[in-house]
DNA sequence: CTAGGGTTAG
């Protein structure tokens, strides 16, 4: 019997709480008069200016620890430095400290905060700061806000804000004008841009400011696709710099005039302007378009001389240029550039893969590179990558080309296709997986067991369990992997009954289960809370099948017991294990404590996790969520703070959805999507609709201590809701909406999605980091147990 | 503290 005598909270989680300063606090007489303040302030200024933000923040803390009050200038300086060095998380930390300091903020500090949140993409916070400014609003605040709205995809609101500014009696300067003109640089609003253009001419800012000139060039090139007018403006600009030259060159290149782009580039160089990384990326792309390998090579020399060959974008353009300027040997040059690049991203991988596909007969190498990309694991494919790969698969199913692949010495085996499918599954690209499937049918691999198992798993991981079963059914030669894939699929989708039926069929068919099969069986039980059934299988796995349970199996049982509410039994079970429980097991228990709001046990679990892994972000997050859900805001904030101090970063939550034109990914409050405006309008409509039929926002899931109304607004910016709203506006009934999330789905989102399914009559399938949810007509397959 | 330019496919 384990007794749960838990030490007091303070002793339990010592590393989480900041220790009080060991030195003596000076008494309250303080601030500028104290001789020790000035040197510390000087140090802070130096550190902030040098961009050593963390050190500067420590200095700030030290000033506060000494009982002195840092002045507003110190905070403002730190904020500016965070913005300059793009240390946005630290900037938010400074914001928290600034709020705690209770100092009265001036325009400069508030404008810095607007800029900070704007650059994080968090326009809601930026806007609420802006609106609360009252009389403190100045031209900088207006400009920052207009620009923030434009970059968040709310161009029309940005334009209205500009008009509001003029109405309020402010006279716009060059910053306001360029922000407002940028808001108009699209097809919808270009005509408003013309009105503002007239205004600009009168003020003389067109003549005096290069940035206003650049904005106007984009008004004509992007808003009207009118390069002639854009070029006329460019010619009339009294002052030019390499940015305005590059802008003109890029627009020529993008709007299908690579030859003119190249001519302008030569003009630019002859006029004495130095091309930089932006110029080179654009102009190399024009060379690819024209097939100008000779010029491309000269540019490559200049890239090296300008020390720009390490830039990822320039590298991509070079890889693409050599690959597209097809002469003997140029593909090898492309590969050489690729191999020499210090960093790769999905674009550079896609550029080289596409190079092999386009050069003809090198599809095997293309697939080989793709496998390498997946193996290295740091880069996920996108729809550009799949376009190339599908073409390669198509070529491979062509018998004539098939012969040439045997020549290259690379065997396109089942493993290659399996890895192709696994890549599609990892990003939830079921549509692409399906296309690969149809290619496979043509290429003769369809009967292969390994490929079919990959197909079963791909369909299941992409949320289409019916297609997974269909593929499984058609497979005659099933092995333990085939059965286990199918059981795992049913378990993850929450269809425990079918998973167990499948398991019995497997045993009846005389198939011997393995360790992985039992993980699937036990997790099926834990996803629906079948405690007795779970025990039965846990016991029979060693007794009847001679498989000794591993840590993962114990973990499944802890999950099963914990989430069913048998928290104490779960702890007893942990201590009865034949080996010491690892951090994952304790994390599982901590998760269960959050569900059942057991703070004491939760703290114990957190302590055990941190003993083994003192820097585990998950422990901090779970504990902080646990406190937050109990309304213990101060404790929650304290944990978040110490996380930041320990430089622990939580993975940002994001959701994505696949449509015909690719995978669309969204973060919290994301507004970078080209259709952001429509998405948020849809969200507003949905919020109204579902409230009418009984939805009540569960603001417990908002992990900040803010007003209820603001909490609701935060809730409606969760990435899963955004992805669903996008799914609703870009597909139509009766298509199932399948969305994916890298973390667990939030409780309020889960509730809201159930109402949304009822209100819209659409089925929604959610894959989170843990399992699937099939949501239809107001109910979820998980029966709200997850 | 506020404004400008880039690369991968079909």
């Amino acid at each position: 019997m384990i007794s749960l005598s838990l030490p007091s909270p303070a002793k339990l989680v010592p590393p989480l709480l900041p220790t009080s300063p060991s030195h003596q606090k000076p008494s309250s007489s303080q601030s500028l008069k104290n001789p020790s303040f000035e040197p510390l302030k000087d140090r802070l200024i130096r550190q902030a200016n040098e961009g050593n933000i963390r050190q500067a923040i420590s200095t700030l803390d030290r000033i506060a620890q000494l009982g002195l009050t840092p002045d507003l200038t110190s905070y403002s300086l730190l904020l500016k430095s965070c913005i300059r060095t793009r240390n946005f998380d630290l900037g938010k930390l400074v914001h928290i400290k600034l709020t705690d300091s209770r100092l009265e903020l001036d325009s400069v500090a508030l404008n810095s905060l607007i800029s900070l949140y704007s650059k994080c993409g968090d326009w809601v916070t930026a806007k609420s700061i802006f609106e609360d400014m009252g009389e403190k609003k100045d031209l900088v605040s207006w400009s920052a806000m207009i620009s923030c709205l434009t970059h968040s995809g709310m161009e029309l609101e940005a334009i209205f804000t500009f008009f509001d500014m003029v109405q309020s009696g402010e006279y716009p300067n060059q910053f306001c004008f360029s922000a407002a003109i940028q808001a108009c640089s699209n097809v919808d609003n270009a005509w408003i841009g013309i009105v503002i253009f007239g205004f600009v001419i009168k003020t003389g800012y067109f003549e005096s400011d290069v940035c206003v000139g650049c904005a106007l060039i984009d008004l004509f090139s992007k808003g009207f696709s009118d390069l002639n007018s854009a070029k006329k403006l460019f010619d009339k600009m009294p002052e030019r710099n390499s940015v305005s030259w590059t802008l003109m060159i890029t627009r020529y290149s993008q709007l299908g005039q690579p030859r003119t782009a190249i001519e302008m580039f030569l003009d630019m160089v002859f006029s004495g302007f130095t091309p930089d990384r932006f110029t080179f990326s654009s102009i190399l792309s024009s060379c690819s378009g024209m097939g100008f390998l000779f010029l491309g090579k000269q540019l490559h020399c200049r890239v090296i001389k300008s020390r720009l060959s390490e830039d990822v974008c320039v590298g991509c353009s070079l890889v693409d240029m050599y690959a597209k300027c097809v002469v003997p040997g140029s593909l090898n040059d492309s590969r050489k550039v690729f191999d020499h690049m210090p960093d790769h991203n999905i674009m550079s991988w896609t550029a080289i893969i596409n190079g092999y596909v386009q050069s003809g007969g090198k599809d095997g190498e293309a697939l080989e590179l793709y496998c390498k990309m997946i193996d290295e694991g740091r880069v996920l494919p996108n729809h550009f990558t799949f376009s190339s790969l599908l073409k390669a698969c198509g070529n491979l199913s062509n018998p004539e080309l098939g012969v040439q692949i045997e020549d290259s010495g690379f065997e396109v085996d089942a493993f290659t296709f399996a890895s192709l499918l696994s890549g599609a599954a990892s990003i939830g690209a079921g549509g692409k997986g399906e296309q690969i499937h149809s290619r496979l049918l043509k290429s003769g691999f369809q009967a292969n067991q390994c490929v079919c198992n990959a197909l079963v798993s791909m369909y299941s991981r992409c949320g289409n369990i019916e297609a997974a079963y269909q593929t499984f059914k058609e497979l005659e030669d099933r092995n333990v992997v085939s059965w286990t894939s199918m059981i795992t699929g049913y378990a993850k989708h929450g269809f425990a009954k079918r998973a167990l039926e499948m398991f019995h069929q497997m045993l009846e068919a005389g198939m011997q289960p393995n360790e992985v099969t039992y993980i699937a069986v036990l997790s099926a039980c834990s996803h629906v809370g079948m405690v007795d059934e779970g025990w039965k299988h846990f016991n029979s796995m060693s007794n009847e099948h001679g498989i000794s349970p591993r840590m993962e199996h114990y973990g499944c049982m802890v999950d099963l017991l914990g989430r069913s509410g048998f928290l104490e039994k779960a702890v007893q079970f942990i201590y009865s294990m034949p080996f010491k429980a690892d951090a994952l097991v304790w994390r599982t228990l901590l998760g269960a404590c959050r569900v059942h709001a057991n703070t004491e046990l939760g703290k114990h679990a957190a302590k055990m996790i941190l003993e083994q892994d003192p820097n585990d972000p998950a422990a901090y997050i779970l504990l902080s969520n646990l406190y937050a859900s109990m309304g213990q805001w101060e404790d929650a904030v304290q944990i978040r703070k110490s996380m930041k101090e320990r430089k622990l970063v939580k993975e940002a939550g994001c959701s994505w959805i696949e449509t015909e034109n690719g995978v669309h990914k969204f973060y919290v409050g994301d507004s970078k999507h080209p259709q952001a405006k429509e998405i948020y309008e849809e969200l507003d409509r949905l919020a109204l609709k579902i409230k009418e039929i009984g939805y009540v926002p569960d603001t417990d899931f908002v992990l900040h201590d803010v007003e209820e109304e603001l909490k609701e607004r935060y809730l409606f910016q969760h990435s899963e809701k955004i992805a669903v709203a996008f799914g609703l506006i870009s597909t139509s009934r009766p298509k199932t909406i399948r969305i994916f999330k890298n973390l667990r789905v939030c409780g309020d989102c889960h509730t809201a999605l159930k109402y949304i399914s009822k209100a819209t009559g659409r089925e929604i399938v959610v894959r989170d980091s843990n399992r699937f949810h099939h949501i239809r007509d107001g109910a979820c397959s998980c029966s709200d147990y997850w």
Side-chain angles (χ1 to χ4, degrees), chain A residues 322-340:
Chain A
Y322 280 113
K324 288 218 180 102
C325 300
V326 195
V327 300
S330 68
L331 187 60
N332 287 339
D333 290 333
S334 175
R335 181 61 186 265
K336 260 189 226 163
V337 175
F338 178 82
D339 287 340
H340 279 100

Side-chain angles (χ1 to χ4, degrees), chain A residues 664-678:
Chain A
H664 302 256
K665 192 173 177 181
F666 303 94
Y667 288 88
V668 184
D670 206 327
S671 46
K672 302 242 184 307
H673 194 275
Q675 280 158 271
K677 210 190 302 173
E678 289 96 315

Side-chain angles (χ1 to χ4, degrees), chain A residues 234-381:
Chain A
F234 176 81
D235 288 337
K236 281 191 180 162
M237 280 166 71
E239 191 198 333
R240 290 174 212 156
N241 58 18
S242 60
V243 175
S244 52
W245 276 99
T246 305
L247 175 63
M248 235 16 256
I249 290 167
T250 306
R251 297 292 172 253
Y252 274 121
S253 171
Q254 288 170 338
L255 290 172
Q257 299 194 37
R259 180 180 291 275
T260 321
I262 292 169
E263 285 167 9
M264 272 213 84
F265 173 76
L266 298 177
D267 276 353
M268 171 184 176
V269 177
F270 288 137
S271 313
F273 291 94
T274 312
D276 60 16
R277 63 193 66 214
F278 297 94
T279 328
F280 280 118
S281 311
S282 273
I283 201 63
L284 281 165
S285 158
S286 301
C287 286
S288 315
M290 299 294 294
F292 285 174
L293 181 59
F294 184 70
L295 179 59
K297 280 188 175 175
Q298 286 181 314
L299 288 167
H300 191 177
C301 292
R302 283 196 76 133
V303 165
I304 294 168
K305 278 185 202 152
S306 320
R307 300 172 178 279
L308 292 173
S309 45
E310 303 225 327
D311 185 88
V312 185
C313 287
V314 176
C316 278
S317 306
L318 281 168
V319 168
D320 187 54
M321 188 274 294
Y322 280 113
K324 288 218 180 102
C325 300
V326 195
V327 300
S330 68
L331 187 60
N332 287 339
D333 290 333
S334 175
R335 181 61 186 265
K336 260 189 226 163
V337 175
F338 178 82
D339 287 340
H340 279 100
M341 285 170 69
D343 293 306
H344 284 126
N345 57 17
I346 187 56
M347 278 195 177
S348 60
W349 279 104
T350 306
I352 187 70
I353 289 172
N354 190 47
Y356 279 106
V357 176
Q358 291 201 330
S359 66
K362 305 258 186 196
D363 304 286
E365 285 91 334
L367 290 170
E368 193 177 17
L369 270 166
Y370 170 80
C371 293
K372 203 175 156 207
M373 176 182 112
I374 295 288
D375 278 352
E376 289 183 8
R378 278 171 301 139
V379 175
L380 284 179

Side-chain angles (χ1 to χ4, degrees), chain A residues 112-154:
Chain A
S112 299
L113 288 173
I114 293 175
S115 164
L116 173 72
Y117 286 98
S118 163
K119 287 185 173 148
C120 296
D122 182 355
W123 61 270
V124 178
T125 308
K127 198 175 174 197
S128 75
I129 295 170
F130 174 77
E131 280 174 354
D132 288 344
M133 278 178 82
E135 292 299 305
K136 289 182 192 167
K137 271 187 205 131
D138 60 14
L139 277 181
V140 178
S141 330
W142 285 100
S143 307
M145 199 58 231
I146 295 168
S147 161
C148 172
L149 290 167
T150 304
H151 289 127
S152 304
M154 291 177 289

Side-chain angles (χ1 to χ4, degrees), chain A residues 387-403:
Chain A
S387 292
S388 295
L389 291 168
L390 284 168
K391 206 172 162 202
C393 291
N395 294 339
L396 291 175
S397 55
N398 177 333
E400 283 170 44
L401 284 169
V403 178

Side-chain angles (χ1 to χ4, degrees), chain A residues 562-576:
Chain A
R563 280 197 292 149
S564 315
F566 302 108
L567 286 170
E568 302 226 350
K569 273 200 180 149
V571 180
Q572 286 171 26
F573 184 74
I574 289 177
Y575 283 113
S576 73

